[in-house]
Amino acid sequence: MALAGQEPGNVPETKAPAPTVVAPKHPDNDYWRKHDQQLLTDFPWLERFKEADLKLGPPAAGEKRVVFMGDSITEGWHFDSPGGVFATKPYINRGISGQTTPQMVLRFHQDVIALHPKAVVILAGTNDIAGNTGPMTLEETESNLAAMAEMATANHIKVVLCSILPAFDYPWQPGLTPAPKIDAINAWIKDYAAQHGYVYVDYHSAMKDARDGLPTTLRQDGVHPTQAGYDVMAPLAEAGIAKAVSSRGQ
């Protein structure tokens, strides 16, 4: 006799597997091949500034040293080079092109804490959204930014958290619609800074265009600022540093 179809009594319901998150593929060129090889041999790239950090030595008496932690936007600023906007100030550039926040967390002790600055300026997160070291959630980026701020605070270093710069699209990773993700992280950064007494520097509002990206007058490629863009950023950074160093909080 044929049996009627039955619902299983105590067999767990079969659920469809969660969709696999696939990391976006960046271009296949010499820059990215070197980038990927670097991840395998020295993920945070500690070697990049290891010697320079050792040579720098402790701050002089009365020196208000500031370290800028970031990616290519920081590295390409060249503010500490001869003729740079901060060339006469004890400001240290520790930006590395292409880096994401997990890489920065791993090198934060060597490249920031061990240099004994009065303050650290953190500008990071856009490469997380681009997937430079694999897919990341916004919450993971926020956790890494919080980790850096907490490490700085634990070592009596004042914290300046910067908004991610506007970006309508990434030339090396088109189609990711980064603008709303950047807005979401920036809103979190602003709120987190307010809750913890950190200084928030809002580059984004001062630089965005109608598309919520960088305007042609301030950008090289949609992500990286021109000198005109850096000219907008410099006084905002300087004001943020002055506020952080003079504050009694943190």
Side-chain angles (χ1 to χ4, degrees):
M1 183 175 69
L3 297 175
Q6 295 180 337
E7 289 292 329
N10 54 5
V11 178
E13 180 184 356
T14 302
K15 295 183 179 180
T20 302
V21 179
V22 179
K25 294 183 178 180
H26 42 243
D28 182 17
N29 56 38
D30 188 56
Y31 172 87
W32 286 107
R33 284 190 290 271
K34 289 180 178 178
H35 171 272
D36 291 347
Q37 183 60 37
Q38 181 66 53
L39 298 183
L40 296 175
T41 58
D42 182 4
F43 179 78
W45 204 355
L46 294 170
E47 194 65 30
R48 172 69 174 81
F49 289 117
K50 184 176 181 180
E51 186 175 347
D53 290 342
L54 292 172
K55 285 183 177 180
L56 191 61
E63 177 183 330
K64 294 183 179 180
R65 177 176 292 176
V66 177
V67 176
F68 285 66
M69 169 60 79
D71 50 38
S72 58
I73 295 170
T74 298
E75 181 180 15
W77 199 340
H78 302 301
F79 54 74
D80 52 348
S81 301
V85 65
F86 299 141
T88 61
K89 296 180 179 293
Y91 293 178
I92 312 302
N93 191 324
R94 288 297 179 261
I96 297 181
S97 176
Q99 283 217 325
T100 56
T101 58
Q103 293 176 290
M104 295 181 204
V105 167
L106 292 175
R107 67 182 178 93
F108 198 81
H109 194 281
Q110 174 187 285
D111 290 345
V112 178
I113 294 171
L115 305 184
H116 304 290
K118 292 288 186 182
V120 60
V121 179
I122 301 170
L123 172 56
T126 204
N127 289 325
D128 296 26
I129 297 171
N132 281 16
T133 52
M136 290 183 63
T137 65
L138 304 189
E139 291 77 16
E140 287 168 341
T141 297
E142 292 160 5
S143 293
N144 288 331
L145 291 170
M148 288 188 275
E150 290 167 8
M151 283 190 282
T153 301
N155 287 275
H156 311 292
I157 299 168
K158 300 298 181 66
V159 177
V160 179
L161 292 171
C162 303
S163 68
I164 302 173
L165 269 60
F168 181 75
D169 206 3
Y170 295 128
W172 69 98
Q173 203 64 265
L176 295 181
T177 318
K181 301 168 190 175
I182 290 172
D183 290 342
I185 294 177
N186 284 344
W188 178 88
I189 295 172
K190 182 177 182 180
D191 182 63
Y192 176 80
Q195 288 183 25
H196 292 81
Y198 301 143
V199 174
Y200 175 65
V201 171
D202 188 2
Y203 295 137
H204 190 279
S205 296
M207 301 177 77
K208 68 179 180 178
D209 62 13
R211 301 190 310 165
D212 210 15
L214 274 177
T216 55
T217 53
L218 300 180
R219 73 174 190 242
Q220 296 181 35
D221 56 2
V223 175
H224 300 91
T226 58
Q227 185 56 53
Y230 286 123
D231 289 345
V232 173
M233 295 167 64
L236 296 174
E238 189 74 295
I241 292 166
K243 183 177 180 181
V245 170
S246 64
S247 71
R248 294 185 179 183
Q250 297 191 34

